[in-house]
Amino acid sequence: FTQLVETQAANFKDIRASFVSHCHPPTTLGSCASSLGHTMHAVAHTNRLETHTWSDVRAKLRLSVSMTSDLGTDFGLTSIEKVRVQELFPHGDCLSIESDELGAEADHANEADVELDVSYMLPVPGTFHIVDNMSKHALRDLPNLYLVERQLHSVSSYVR
């Protein structure tokens, strides 16, 4: 039994070493602009800030396995099928960056046709966001606390 536990511990150590948590540059969504399409646009843009081309963004997204969410609109990102960069950025402003300036080859001819896909990612509820949102709702509804008692119990069970 001890050998099995040690083997499992070694395997989990290897698996943990294979994953990296990465925080992207922050982006914000404006008032009346927080739809799923706007959210996908923000995800694409924040990934583009860290890469040289849209093909690099596609490759980077393929390395991602999950996306943390507060169970809001962004929780639906994984339901989006492949989307062309041109559909997210129809005015093409983002495609005009000269990659020579960034030290990469200048080949933007087909960049607008690159398809981005996040449908394979696992959406993971962010515990902090859930508890924070629930706390705000509970404080707002304190006079009617009995209305949110069931949800508070569910959150506390999840956090434990």
Side-chain angles (χ1 to χ4, degrees):
F1 178 75
T2 305
Q3 185 180 6
L4 176 64
V5 171
E6 289 173 358
T7 302
Q8 285 182 339
N11 290 340
F12 283 126
K13 186 177 179 181
D14 289 341
I15 291 170
R16 254 194 314 272
S18 300
F19 288 88
V20 176
S21 176
H22 176 71
C23 292
H24 292 99
T27 56
T28 59
L29 299 176
S31 180
C32 298
S34 59
S35 69
L36 204 50
H38 289 106
T39 303
M40 182 61 191
H41 183 279
V43 167
H45 187 256
T46 193
N47 277 282
R48 181 64 173 88
L49 290 172
E50 296 183 329
T51 58
H52 295 293
T53 66
W54 285 107
S55 297
D56 292 342
V57 171
R58 179 179 54 207
K60 185 176 176 224
L61 288 174
R62 286 181 178 162
L63 294 173
S64 303
V65 293
S66 66
M67 188 175 297
T68 306
S69 166
D70 64 355
L71 298 178
T73 304
D74 51 334
F75 200 68
L77 275 175
T78 58
S79 67
I80 295 177
E81 295 293 325
K82 292 179 182 178
V83 61
R84 287 179 54 238
V85 169
Q86 185 63 42
E87 293 171 22
L88 290 172
F89 299 92
H91 303 293
D93 296 339
C94 62
L95 302 175
S96 63
I97 297 173
E98 287 299 324
S99 58
D100 286 347
E101 298 170 15
L102 303 172
E105 293 180 22
D107 180 19
H108 290 291
N110 297 319
E111 284 293 290
D113 292 327
V114 171
E115 290 182 330
L116 305 179
D117 185 14
V118 295
S119 63
Y120 56 86
M121 287 188 198
L122 176 67
V124 178
T127 306
F128 172 77
H129 294 298
I130 294 170
V131 172
D132 183 57
N133 287 341
M134 195 63 210
S135 299
K136 288 176 187 172
H137 291 298
L139 289 173
R140 183 192 67 216
D141 296 333
L142 201 52
N144 303 315
L145 190 58
Y146 67 94
L147 296 174
V148 293
E149 185 176 1
R150 194 176 100 232
Q151 290 91 341
L152 284 173
H153 179 70
S154 297
V155 168
S156 68
S157 296
Y158 175 76
V159 172
R160 276 189 260 153

